[in-house]
C-alpha cells in the first residue's frame, strides 16, 4: 500500500486528512511536530509522499523540507500553506517541495495532488536512451542528470522538467505546456509553480543564474532549452 506522511500539529485537520486518504486507499503515517516527522521518515523509508504543514510547535515545515531533501531527493513533498501567505508558497518550493495546497482545501483536491505526485515518484522509465547535450548527460533509464560528469541532485519534478526540455531542444515551451506535462492535466494550481521550479533548476545547472544560457526565457510565453 502506498504510504503518505501527514505532518500537521492541529489534530482535527490531521484526522480529517487521514480519514480521506485512507478512503482513497493510502496508508497514512502521522506526525504532530517536525522532529517526530523526521523520525517517522527514518522508521518508514518507503513513504512516497510527505504532506508538511508550515507552522509547527518546534522546527517549521520549511526546515523539515530542507532536512528531508538533504538525504532524500525522490520523495514527493507537498506543503500546506495559508491562502494569504504568498511567500510561503515560493519559500516551500525553493526549499525543495514539489507542490503546495492552500488552506482551506477540499479532500478531493489534496488526494488528486497526492495521486499525481505519487505517479511521478513511482514512475519507472523503460526507455534506456541517454540524451547528451554538452555539458549535460541525461540518463532516462536511471533518471539522472550529469554536468561535466558530475551528478546533479534533482527532485522528481525537477527531473521531469529537465527531461521535457532536453527532449525538445530549441523548442519554446509555454508555462501551460510545462504545467500540463509535468503536473498533469488535472492539476489546478497556479502557473507560478513552473517559474519557481525553473528558478530552482537554474541555481543547480547554470554557470551564471543572472544570465542563464541553458534554460532561457521566452518573454511573455515560457522557456526553452537554449543549447
Amino acid at each position: 500500500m502506498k504510504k503518505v506522511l501527514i505532518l500537521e500539529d492541529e489534530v482535527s485537520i490531521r484526522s480529517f486528512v487521514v480519514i480521506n486518504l485512507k478512503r482513497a486507499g493510502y496508508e497514512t503515517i502521522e506526525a504532530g511536530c517536525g522532529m517526530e516527522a523526521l523520525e517517522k521518515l527514518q522508521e518508514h523509508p518507503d513513504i512516497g509522499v510527505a504532506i508538511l504543514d508550515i507552522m509547527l510547535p518546534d522546527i517549521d515545515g520549511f526546515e523539515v523540507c530542507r532536512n528531508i531533501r538533504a538525504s532524500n531527493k525522490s520523495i514527493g513533498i507537498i506543503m500546506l500553506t495559508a491562502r494569504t501567505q504568498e511567500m510561503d508558497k515560493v519559500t516551500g518550493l525553493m526549499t525543495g517541495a514539489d507542490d503546495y495546497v492552500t488552506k482551506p482545501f477540499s479532500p478531493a483536491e489534496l488526494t488528486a495532488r497526492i495521486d499525481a505526485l505519487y505517479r511521478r515518484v513511482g514512475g519507472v522509465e523503460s526507455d534506456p536512451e541517454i540524451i547528451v547535450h554538452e555539458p549535460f548527460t541525461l540518463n532516462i533509464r536511471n533518471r539522472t542528470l550529469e554536468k561535466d560528469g558530475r551528478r546533479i541532485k534533482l527532485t522528481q519534478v525537477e527531473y521531469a522538467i529537465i527531461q521535457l526540455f532536453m527532449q525538445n531542444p530549441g523548442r519554446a515551451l509555454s508555462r501551460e505546456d510545462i504545467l500540463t506535462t509535468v503536473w498533469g492535466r488535472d492539476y489546478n494550481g497556479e502557473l507560478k509553480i513552473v517559474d519557481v521550479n525553473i528558478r530552482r533548476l537554474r541555481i543547480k545547472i547554470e554557470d551564471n543564474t543572472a544570465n542563464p544560457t541553458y534554460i532561457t526565457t521566452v518573454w511573455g510565453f515560457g522557456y526553452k532549452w537554449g543549447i
Side-chain angles (χ1 to χ4, degrees):
M1 187 178 291
K2 297 175 180 178
K3 288 186 180 181
V4 178
L5 171 72
I6 301 100
L7 169 56
E8 169 61 66
D9 63 320
E10 292 190 35
V11 177
S12 59
I13 296 177
R14 192 169 73 241
S15 299
F16 170 74
V17 172
V18 166
I19 290 170
N20 284 281
L21 289 185
K22 285 183 175 179
R23 287 175 179 169
Y26 286 102
E27 179 179 348
T28 58
I29 309 297
E30 300 180 51
C33 67
M35 294 307 298
E36 183 184 9
L38 295 174
E39 291 170 3
K40 296 287 188 181
L41 284 162
Q42 291 291 326
E43 295 171 9
H44 302 272
D46 56 341
I47 290 173
V49 172
I51 303 169
L52 310 180
D53 189 29
I54 294 174
M55 300 300 293
L56 298 166
D58 53 356
I59 58 175
D60 64 25
F62 300 135
E63 188 61 28
V64 175
C65 185
R66 291 188 192 96
N67 273 275
I68 294 173
R69 280 290 178 242
S71 59
N72 190 332
K73 302 297 178 184
S74 62
I75 189 173
I77 298 177
I78 298 175
M79 305 297 295
L80 297 181
T81 71
R83 188 176 299 275
T84 57
Q85 298 299 316
E86 193 70 17
M87 278 307 299
D88 282 354
K89 302 173 184 177
V90 176
T91 303
L93 294 171
M94 290 302 291
T95 53
D98 299 294
D99 200 357
Y100 59 81
V101 173
T102 54
K103 297 179 180 180
F105 54 85
S106 71
E109 178 190 8
L110 181 59
T111 302
R113 299 288 184 89
I114 295 170
D115 289 344
L117 191 51
Y118 230 116
R119 284 195 296 271
R120 293 200 297 276
V121 170
V124 177
E125 297 286 349
S126 59
D127 189 348
E129 184 181 5
I130 293 176
I131 302 174
V132 178
H133 290 165
E134 294 293 347
F136 297 99
T137 300
L138 184 77
N139 188 315
I140 294 177
R141 180 179 56 194
N142 296 332
R143 298 177 70 82
T144 58
L145 178 71
E146 294 183 353
K147 180 181 180 181
D148 292 321
R150 179 180 60 85
R151 180 73 58 86
I152 297 175
K153 295 181 179 180
L154 301 175
T155 67
Q156 293 298 320
V157 167
E158 290 166 351
Y159 171 83
I161 295 173
I162 282 290
Q163 181 177 340
L164 177 63
F165 278 135
M166 292 184 68
Q167 288 178 330
N168 295 275
R171 175 187 169 191
L173 298 169
S174 71
R175 290 174 174 83
E176 290 83 1
D177 288 338
I178 298 169
L179 189 75
T180 298
T181 302
V182 175
W183 280 268
R185 294 187 178 278
D186 296 330
Y187 181 80
N188 59 0
E190 302 170 60
L191 276 174
K192 69 168 63 67
I193 195 172
V194 174
D195 300 319
V196 174
N197 275 277
I198 294 296
R199 189 189 318 168
R200 222 165 57 185
L201 268 173
R202 282 173 168 167
I203 291 171
K204 294 185 177 184
I205 72 169
E206 296 285 354
D207 299 318
N208 180 2
T209 55
N211 184 29
T213 57
Y214 304 120
I215 301 176
T216 56
T217 300
V218 181
W219 294 107
F221 185 74
Y223 302 92
K224 72 174 180 178
W225 188 246
I227 294 178

